[in-house]
Amino acid sequence: MFPAHDISFTQFLTSQYRTAAEHLGFSASDVETLITELSVALRPWGDHPIGPCPKVPSFVSADGFPAEMSLSWRERRPELRVLFESLGDEPTPAGCQRAGRSLTEQLAERPGVDLHRYHLVEDLFVSEDPRLNRPTIWHSLAWRPGESTRYKTYFNPQAGSTDPADVLDRTTEAMGRLGLASSWSSVRMWMPEMMDRGNEIEFAALDLADSPNARVKVYFRINARSLEDLDAVASLASGHDSERAARVWRSLYHGQDKAEGEEPMVCLAFREGSAQPDEANLYLRLPGNAESDEDAAARTADLMRAEGLDPTAYLDMIEALAPRPPSAMTGLQDLLAYRTKAPDSPADIGVYLRFSVYDQPVEP
């Protein structure tokens, strides 16, 4: 656990962000600019103390903390991201939903942000009575050197109903409004079989940008925890490499074809003009499969080396972020992300960090 009850959400998250950014080699001026940008995005709720328990448990983290941080290497360049759920003045899921919608509109003032596509689908993913401990309207900001900050919003396809058929219909309607009916149909045709095997649509996400490269992402939870099911979903993307993905899976999961712990996930990325999803990002759970955060970091470092990346800065960052020796804890590193784009290109690698500040998990 992180000793953070007496400080504000913004103080804690910007401190973690600063530590990670400095270890990744970002310049001092860039770090200060990014800290300011993150602080503004977290207002006004970020100024409140974290406290000993969540007033509104967030689905972002198992303990209800409303934010996570992740880092990735795309084309061997580091990127740092923060995902969060806005907390409303009213401590209810409805209050959080209102706060998330409000922040989206405020982001329209940021350079490069475009809300046209967001407004096409927002009504599909909000609810008059959102459920406790389910996603409302989430946001993330991502930055890497030489680029502008990019924003993304996350939706809950189960906002109106948890029935898998209703969730599929809602997602299909959204993809049609976004001009992606054709590429979604290449996935939609397999959904009955996928649902029969227990795989479910968990999230949807949208790049808040008016760009040909802007993505719509659909996240699937692989409830069977099997390599076969994960690969069946990921193989719907043109850039997925089953053989390379299987090597990563078996390395992490001790040669087994079935994962331990929480379910792995797959995210399919759709872009306008493509006949099918372009990319599949695999999210493989580290807790329950690595003995400690030290072991998780070592496994991730091995994968980075295999893809031509120097893991030194990453390993130093984990040491600096951990509230106690990584050999004596687990859970800081929650997910290992792996995405291939072409057979002869290095894979994109990511690590998702969870900051446990509360002393028990939220009841599902």
Side-chain angles (χ1 to χ4, degrees):
M1 287 177 55
F2 288 81
H5 296 170
D6 296 330
I7 63 175
S8 72
F9 290 97
T10 296
Q11 286 174 311
F12 177 72
L13 287 171
T14 55
S15 174
Q16 303 302 100
Y17 194 96
R18 185 188 303 277
T19 298
E22 290 174 348
H23 278 81
L24 292 174
F26 296 174
S27 72
S29 60
D30 282 338
V31 171
E32 294 310 314
T33 299
L34 295 166
I35 290 297
T36 300
E37 195 164 359
L38 176 59
S39 299
V40 171
L42 299 177
R43 291 176 184 164
W45 63 273
D47 295 331
H48 300 164
I50 291 174
C53 62
K55 292 183 179 179
V56 185
S58 176
F59 196 67
V60 171
S61 302
D63 69 339
F65 187 69
E68 70 174 17
M69 191 167 69
S70 61
L71 58 150
S72 72
W73 291 266
R74 292 188 295 116
E75 300 169 353
R76 298 195 172 103
R77 295 173 58 200
E79 175 177 283
L80 188 57
R81 305 170 296 202
V82 178
L83 165 73
F84 59 91
E85 179 173 22
S86 297
L87 303 183
D89 291 335
E90 176 188 319
T92 64
C96 294
Q97 180 178 264
R98 284 194 297 272
R101 298 176 75 182
S102 176
L103 175 59
T104 304
E105 300 303 326
Q106 295 170 38
L107 290 176
E109 302 173 2
R110 304 292 176 91
V113 171
D114 186 279
L115 301 185
H116 172 70
R117 296 193 307 162
Y118 172 88
H119 288 142
L120 291 175
V121 298
E122 181 196 51
D123 66 291
L124 293 172
F125 300 110
V126 295
S127 169
E128 294 183 0
D129 186 24
R131 289 185 293 144
L132 186 67
N133 196 29
R134 281 296 302 171
T136 54
I137 301 292
W138 296 356
H139 296 88
S140 69
L141 67 159
W143 185 85
R144 64 176 181 166
E147 298 182 2
S148 300
T149 306
R150 301 189 314 282
Y151 289 89
K152 185 161 58 179
T153 188
Y154 292 75
F155 298 113
N156 175 19
Q158 299 178 22
S161 169
T162 59
D163 181 85
D166 291 340
V167 173
L168 176 57
D169 288 345
R170 187 179 302 268
T171 306
T172 300
E173 172 68 18
M175 298 300 270
R177 293 187 191 182
L178 293 167
L180 296 168
S182 178
S183 55
W184 173 248
S185 68
S186 69
V187 176
R188 172 69 179 81
M189 65 183 295
W190 294 103
M191 285 302 301
E193 179 180 332
M194 289 165 58
M195 292 188 297
D196 285 345
R197 297 178 68 96
N199 304 319
E200 60 181 319
I201 298 173
E202 183 78 8
F203 306 111
L206 181 67
D207 288 340
L208 297 179
D210 182 15
S211 163
N213 202 42
R215 303 160 301 174
V216 176
K217 304 175 78 174
V218 180
Y219 295 74
F220 299 83
R221 186 175 294 272
I222 310 302
N223 287 308
R225 299 178 176 83
S226 72
L227 172 59
E228 179 184 3
D229 281 313
L230 177 132
D231 190 65
V233 177
S235 292
L236 298 172
S238 58
H240 178 66
D241 187 320
S242 295
E243 185 176 338
R244 293 168 71 184
R247 285 199 299 268
V248 172
W249 172 287
R250 293 196 172 100
S251 174
L252 176 63
Y253 293 133
H254 313 286
Q256 303 300 310
D257 285 343
K258 193 147 187 173
E260 299 294 333
E262 287 190 63
E263 303 91 341
M265 299 181 69
V266 174
C267 171
L268 298 179
F270 299 79
R271 290 181 174 87
E272 192 173 349
S274 298
Q276 65 186 103
D278 292 334
E279 301 160 358
N281 210 346
L282 315 182
Y283 298 97
L284 308 180
R285 302 286 178 177
L286 289 163
N289 299 287
E291 295 179 359
S292 65
D293 274 300
E294 180 181 60
D295 182 28
R299 291 169 182 267
T300 303
D302 286 343
L303 177 58
M304 291 175 67
R305 293 186 189 99
E307 297 293 338
L309 290 164
D310 181 355
T312 302
Y314 159 70
L315 293 171
D316 290 343
M317 185 200 69
I318 294 299
E319 287 280 353
L321 286 173
R324 60 181 190 269
S327 60
M329 62 177 289
T330 188
L332 171 61
Q333 299 157 102
D334 186 67
L335 291 166
L336 172 67
Y338 185 80
R339 175 175 55 204
T340 54
K341 294 182 178 179
D344 56 350
S345 299
D348 296 339
I349 297 171
V351 178
Y352 287 70
L353 307 174
R354 299 282 171 85
F355 305 122
S356 297
V357 301
Y358 301 123
D359 61 1
Q360 60 185 3
V362 173
E363 291 293 328

